[in-house]
Amino acid sequence: MPSPKHVAEPQAAEDFLRLALEASNARDRAKFARAGLASESTLGIDADTHALLLRQLYLSHLEQRRFRHAAEVARQMAEVGSMPDIAHHDASRALSALGDLPAAIVEQRLAARLSPLTRRSFHFWCLGTLQHFAGDVNGAVDSLRRGMRWARRDKPLLRAHSAFVRLDSGEGVPKLGEIVKQLAKAPCREGYGQFLLGMLAHHMGDKGRATMHLRAFLRRNASLDPAKATTLREELRRARTALAQNTTHLD
């Protein structure tokens, strides 16, 4: 077994990226990411490696709830030019956590515009979610409709989400029962699908089914890492509120 003095020290940006990816806490993640960025001139770092190092720094800020710093780093990622849709989506997440929904929507719109076809449905879905929470019902429904054009397996999820937006604004939804059945039978019914099934049942007055799905959603997300908890903050709040109302009703 080689002695510690014979173990190679990380020198290249890629070495520090590996260490950042393997880091067990936010402070070490940031330390290795900064070391990688400083290991050589940024002009000499491969664009993908440069962007991925910045993303590790971004995630470190997000985990520590330093949302303004996270947004600034995400914008630096966008300037690198590698994976621009991911960079703008990350900026949108941080700005949303700051409560700046208008700026978050601008960044998410850029993510949708710059995304490859394989991620376009996801980005329009995220855009529609932000528009819904900002009170722009028509914009949210339009974004979700555009996302459905590119969706494959997740199409029932986006269709159900559009129904939720309309119900939440007081509108009626034709063929609502069929929309719920399609999502309930689809693989995407797990995870976020449970939130939508619960909220749809809540709006339909089915307290028992709403409680079942919302409890499953909250259990599934009980131990989220800080970054994911930030992303789902509004959904978790709405699920808890609806569940409290339903539980009171059932009692």
Side-chain angles (χ1 to χ4, degrees):
M1 182 175 179
S3 62
K5 67 180 182 180
H6 293 133
V7 175
E9 292 293 329
Q11 294 181 346
E14 290 79 7
D15 296 331
F16 288 107
L17 174 59
R18 175 180 53 79
L19 291 170
L21 288 165
E22 295 172 353
S24 60
N25 59 72
R27 291 175 64 109
D28 284 348
R29 193 186 318 282
K31 178 182 71 175
F32 291 127
R34 289 193 178 98
L37 292 166
S39 63
E40 50 189 298
S41 167
T42 53
L43 294 177
I45 299 179
D46 171 82
D48 288 347
T49 303
H50 190 181
L52 289 170
L53 282 166
L54 285 170
R55 191 159 200 271
Q56 290 303 302
L57 185 57
Y58 160 86
L59 289 172
S60 173
H61 287 313
L62 203 66
E63 290 166 14
Q64 297 177 84
R65 303 183 65 82
R66 301 175 64 183
F67 302 129
R68 198 167 300 281
H69 291 291
E72 290 170 0
V73 172
R75 285 168 172 155
Q76 292 175 37
M77 286 169 55
E79 292 175 2
V80 172
S82 175
M83 301 177 291
D85 64 308
I86 300 298
H88 286 293
H89 171 68
D90 284 345
S92 178
R93 284 206 297 170
L95 290 165
S96 176
L98 284 168
D100 192 348
L101 284 181
I105 287 169
V106 169
E107 292 290 343
Q108 189 58 43
R109 200 183 298 279
L110 285 169
R113 185 184 305 163
L114 297 171
S115 66
L117 299 184
T118 54
R119 293 197 288 267
R120 192 158 295 171
S121 173
F122 168 77
H123 286 307
F124 274 116
W125 176 33
C126 293
L127 177 59
T129 301
L130 288 171
Q131 290 169 316
H132 175 206
F133 295 156
D136 182 4
V137 174
N138 291 335
V141 170
D142 182 63
S143 293
L144 290 166
R145 177 182 56 79
R146 295 176 72 182
M148 275 184 260
R149 292 181 192 169
W150 306 101
R152 287 178 170 77
R153 294 182 61 189
D154 290 342
K155 189 168 288 188
L157 189 75
L158 272 71
R159 186 177 290 116
H161 202 146
S162 181
F164 168 48
V165 171
R166 294 169 66 183
L167 287 172
D168 198 44
S169 68
E171 294 183 22
V173 178
K175 300 182 180 179
L176 180 57
E178 185 60 30
I179 291 171
V180 171
K181 286 180 183 178
Q182 288 178 0
L183 177 57
K185 293 188 297 184
C188 54
R189 67 182 177 275
E190 301 296 331
Y192 203 94
Q194 291 172 321
F195 168 71
L196 291 175
L197 287 169
M199 295 306 296
L200 290 174
H202 175 68
H203 281 284
M204 295 167 73
D206 189 340
K207 305 298 182 182
R209 196 169 295 276
T211 297
M212 177 184 69
H213 287 301
L214 292 175
R215 280 179 175 166
F217 174 71
L218 291 172
R219 280 197 303 270
R220 187 185 185 96
N221 294 292
S223 302
L224 286 177
D225 63 66
K228 290 182 180 178
T230 297
T231 302
L232 289 174
R233 182 173 57 182
E234 181 62 16
E235 286 89 343
L236 293 169
R237 184 192 71 78
R238 289 179 179 236
R240 292 186 184 106
T241 299
L243 184 59
Q245 294 171 354
N246 294 343
T247 303
T248 300
H249 177 84
L250 289 172
D251 292 341

